[in-house]
Structures are given as structure tokens and as C-alpha cells.
Amino acid sequence: MSEQIGSGIEVCIVEDDEDLREEISLALRRMGFGVRALAGSRDLYLALLQAPCDVLVLDLNLPGEDGFTIIERLRGLLSAGILVLTARSGTDDLVRCLTSGADAYLVKPVDFRELAANIVSLSRRVREAHPSSAPAMPTVLTWQLAGDGWSLVGPQGRRVALTASERILLQLLFEQANTAVRRDVIISALGHQPDYYLDHRLDMLVSRLRRKVQEAVGTPLPLKAVRGVGFMLSPREH
């Protein structure tokens, strides 16, 4: 099996076990898939609003909304394929998932090569069923906040834990995405007076954040300085 069989296929993984989620994500990325790794329904819905995926890999036992509920909620709205990956091996669960709208059902533990092959097959069936979505679209890099703003998620699903100051800064910039936010507004949001919190300290915060994200995610954070104004974040970039 080619190591890059997933090239051009975008996958969302919803798995609340952080170690397993990272393990699956890493394996699929090595095979060329584009991956966004998510902990639950809230992160999933936000991710899908920002950019679609070709295949959704979904656990059933999730906090909050479980996998069954997610399938029922998304089936009529989602053109992507839904592959359930769960520890539940009972026939009743299998039948319920498939009749609710899931396209495939795999039981953990699973060989990652088998998972990848199923994703490729499902992606092919979805594209044949929706030929208008088959042509390649320009790549869109999507950034988002997760975990109540305490984590930054990069385009490939990798997470970066944020400090309190970084969280405040990014929440403000996400709220006003693609708009230059003035320095004094940022400084005030951080709880300081502009004449106290010197400009170079804000620059240092931004510089450390950029370096931290680059090292953890491998992709530059689209946070730009706007001369004479402040800073601007562009979460979606072609």
C-alpha cells in the first residue's frame, strides 16, 4: 500500500481519548491525509462551519453528544462520508449506526492500514455520488480555538496549549478576524493601561506566540502586524 494513499483527502477525526486521537492522526498524516483531530461535537461543528471534509471518522462514546446523535444531526446536512470507529462490537450498535446514516463501521483496535483503506474507499464513493464536489478546490488553511479558548488548533488538527495572555489575545483577534485590531484595544483586553503595558511587551508576546505555534504546528500562524494600527489574524487563508 502506497504511503501517500491519502493525498487530497480531508478527514475529521472525533475521538475523546487524547492519546488515541493523536495516534490515529499521526498515522493518517504519514499516509498523506489532511487531518483535523477533534475531541467532541462542539469542536466538530465549528470545524465543519469553517471548512468541509471528505470523511468523518467518529467515535460513539463521546462526552456531551454521543456519536449516534452526531450522525443523526449531520446526515442530512453533510456530503462527507461517515465512518464509525468504536470499541462497541454489538450487532445492535452496528445496525443502529448504519440505519441512522453511517457509511462504514470499524471496531477498535484497528490496523491503521485497514482504516486508511476504508477512508480512501469511502471518499471515492462520496465523490462519485457528488461529482460537483470532485474538482480540486484551492487549499484553505483553517485555524480555530478549542477547549474554551485554551487551545489553538492548526490546519492539520495539531493543538497548541495557550497561556492566559495568549488566550485573551487570540480570542480578541478571532472575534475580529481579518480586521486590524488596535494595540490599545489589545492592551486593555489584557488588563493593562496603554501607558503601563509598553508596546514592546505586546510585540514580545506576539513574537513568542508565533515562534511557539511554528514549532508545535509546523505552519506559520497567520497573525500579521499592521503598521501604525496593531495586529490582524486571518484564520482562513488560500
Side-chain angles (χ1 to χ4, degrees):
M1 180 180 291
S2 169
E3 290 185 357
Q4 296 299 307
I5 62 168
S7 179
I9 300 175
E10 295 297 321
V11 180
C12 280
I13 299 169
V14 185
E15 167 61 62
D16 65 321
D17 184 314
E18 184 176 358
D19 291 338
L20 179 58
R21 185 170 67 243
E22 182 62 27
E23 189 177 357
I24 295 172
S25 302
L26 181 59
L28 292 182
R29 289 191 187 103
R30 286 174 174 169
M31 287 184 264
F33 294 91
V35 178
R36 282 177 285 171
L38 312 158
S41 61
R42 180 179 177 181
D43 290 346
L44 172 65
Y45 298 148
L46 177 59
L48 292 177
L49 283 173
Q50 293 177 334
C53 67
D54 298 305
V55 176
L56 168 61
V57 177
L58 181 65
D59 186 21
L60 292 180
N61 297 325
L62 297 169
E65 287 188 339
D66 62 17
F68 295 111
T69 304
I70 293 173
I71 293 171
E72 292 169 358
R73 186 183 296 275
L74 290 181
R75 185 64 280 174
L77 304 174
L78 195 66
S79 61
I82 299 178
L83 188 158
V84 172
L85 179 61
T86 178
R88 301 170 71 155
S89 59
T91 301
D92 289 345
D93 292 324
L94 167 64
V95 171
R96 181 180 174 186
C97 283
L98 295 181
T99 55
S100 295
D103 301 288
Y105 192 99
L106 295 176
V107 177
K108 304 172 186 174
V110 66
D111 187 303
F112 293 140
R113 295 170 300 174
E114 178 185 359
L115 174 61
N118 274 271
I119 293 172
V120 170
S121 176
L122 182 52
S123 173
R124 187 180 300 121
R125 298 205 309 267
V126 169
R127 290 180 178 180
E128 289 172 354
H130 302 276
S132 61
S133 64
M137 300 297 291
T139 299
V140 178
L141 300 181
T142 307
W143 298 79
Q144 59 184 300
L145 290 176
D148 290 331
W150 288 104
S151 295
L152 176 68
V153 184
Q156 301 302 321
R158 296 180 182 176
R159 291 193 177 214
V160 183
L162 302 175
T163 65
S165 295
E166 292 166 347
R167 176 176 181 259
I168 292 170
L169 170 65
L170 286 177
Q171 283 182 324
L172 181 60
L173 293 173
F174 268 100
E175 288 171 0
Q176 302 185 50
N178 303 307
T179 301
V181 181
R182 299 197 318 270
R183 285 176 172 268
D184 63 319
V185 172
I186 297 173
I187 292 170
S188 295
L190 289 166
H192 300 282
Q193 295 297 323
D195 59 349
Y196 168 78
Y197 198 91
L198 301 178
D199 273 357
H200 76 272
R201 295 189 63 184
L202 176 57
D203 291 331
M204 288 174 59
L205 173 62
V206 171
S207 178
R208 286 196 302 268
L209 178 60
R210 283 174 173 154
R211 184 168 58 252
K212 175 180 176 179
V213 171
Q214 176 71 49
E215 292 174 355
V217 176
T219 303
L221 179 65
L223 172 56
K224 303 173 183 177
V226 180
R227 188 177 181 86
V229 182
F231 294 93
M232 179 174 68
L233 180 70
S234 301
R236 294 167 60 88
E237 288 196 338
H238 290 273

